[in-house]
Amino acid sequence: MDVLGSFSLEGKVALVTGAAYGIGFAIAEAYAACGAKIAFNCRSQEHMDKAMEAYREKGIDARGFICDVTKEDEVQQMVAEIEKTLGTVDILVNNAGIIKRIPMTEMKAEEFRQVIDIDLNAPFLVSKAVIPGMIAKGHGKIINICSMMSELGRETVSAYAAAKGGLKMLTKNIASEYGAYNIQCNGIGPGYIATPQTAPLREIQPDGSHHPFDQFIISKTPQARWGTPEDLMGPAVFLASDASNFVNGHILYVDGGILAYIGKQP
């Protein structure tokens, strides 16, 4: 067996949703470096223009599509266009997502539904759209970006935790339902990742101290640091490649050990 060759994505078509920046962009960059053809979506032309510029700066010939992944007709149209221009989707990464940090009793039902719609319903819709092509081709990889909140609860994230817990079980069910078609569906559960979205939580305070949340995360992480988008590249390539052909229904937590750690005694 060519072990190193089994990690190659040469010629594969990868669709990474919400890959304009952050985790999705890093995963798309890793796939491109391993030989995959990259497709991604944005909801607006403004975000698309910025994303395409970022891909060009990295020398990546990515194809961008304006698509709201919560709308089934738009998803079906995007997948059909990808199949026509790039080929059947071999790898799907359901990365697009949002979080609303609102105490549960203060959260409006429409806000709860919006998080569920983007973080759980959208992965269902995009997976549903690519699975027929994967069945016809005889293989496929679906990777859902889950979360530590797929396992844990925390103040103010009731909708996010509900969605990510549901996404964990959707992952397991896709693996159960379509494993016989040589489709592997797994999840990645990032820990706390240093991205532009989390930058305010890592700012040095006026007195020179670290933000309280920054101190909290470092104290709870055995590796004593935040993760980076680059930390997710290797796991994402593994789950997209032939090296993981007998890994199915698994959630790979890339969290620096937080879920394994009870914390230091006060």
Side-chain angles (χ1 to χ4, degrees):
M1 177 180 178
D2 178 8
V3 176
L4 288 178
S6 70
F7 287 89
S8 172
L9 304 180
E10 193 67 37
K12 304 287 188 182
V13 176
L15 168 58
V16 186
T17 67
Y21 53 82
I23 289 172
F25 184 88
I27 290 174
E29 182 183 355
Y31 288 171
C34 292
K37 294 179 281 188
I38 305 300
F40 71 99
N41 80 293
C42 289
R43 293 179 66 181
S44 72
Q45 191 62 52
E46 179 184 2
H47 287 146
M48 179 64 69
D49 292 342
K50 292 179 180 177
M52 290 305 297
E53 182 179 353
Y55 279 105
R56 283 192 293 269
E57 288 177 357
K58 292 286 187 178
I60 299 171
D61 183 22
R63 289 292 306 274
F65 298 85
I66 303 293
C67 175
D68 182 342
V69 288
T70 68
K71 293 182 166 47
E72 186 165 14
D73 58 339
E74 293 188 23
V75 169
Q76 292 286 346
Q77 184 177 348
M78 175 180 66
V79 171
E81 187 64 23
I82 292 170
E83 290 177 345
K84 186 167 75 171
T85 58
L86 296 177
T88 301
V89 174
D90 299 288
I91 303 158
L92 166 64
V93 181
N94 283 308
N95 168 74
I98 62 167
I99 187 169
K100 289 182 179 290
R101 295 181 177 88
I102 305 171
M104 182 175 169
T105 56
E106 298 173 19
M107 179 174 254
K108 298 175 182 177
E110 63 193 55
E111 293 172 321
F112 187 92
R113 292 190 189 103
Q114 183 186 18
V115 175
I116 298 296
D117 206 20
I118 295 173
D119 292 2
L120 180 57
N121 292 343
F124 162 76
L125 292 176
V126 187
S127 298
K128 176 185 173 184
V130 303
I131 284 172
M134 291 178 172
I135 291 174
K137 198 167 186 177
H139 71 83
K141 302 282 186 174
I142 298 174
I143 300 163
N144 292 322
I145 302 303
C146 296
S147 167
M148 291 190 303
M149 298 302 109
S150 298
E151 302 290 345
L152 301 172
R154 193 172 177 277
E155 298 84 352
T156 76
V157 294
S158 58
Y160 185 78
K164 293 300 186 178
L167 187 58
K168 175 183 72 172
M169 292 312 301
L170 178 63
T171 301
K172 291 176 180 290
N173 203 80
I174 292 172
S176 301
E177 195 164 352
Y178 295 102
Y181 296 96
N182 195 28
I183 295 171
Q184 291 84 51
C185 182
N186 294 288
I188 293 177
Y192 284 90
I193 306 297
T195 65
Q197 289 69 41
T198 59
L201 301 174
R202 292 176 282 107
E203 288 180 347
I204 300 298
Q205 304 302 289
D207 63 0
S209 66
H210 287 265
H211 190 289
F213 193 80
D214 185 22
Q215 297 179 47
F216 168 71
I217 292 304
I218 290 174
S219 72
K220 290 293 184 182
T221 306
Q223 287 187 235
R225 67 171 177 86
W226 288 65
T228 68
E230 289 74 22
D231 287 320
L232 299 168
M233 288 179 164
V237 169
F238 166 65
L239 292 178
S241 72
D242 289 345
S244 62
N245 280 349
F246 205 56
V247 179
N248 213 359
H250 177 71
I251 313 299
L252 174 55
Y253 290 100
V254 186
D255 65 355
I258 290 179
L259 288 175
Y261 186 45
I262 196 171
K264 293 180 180 179
Q265 181 178 338

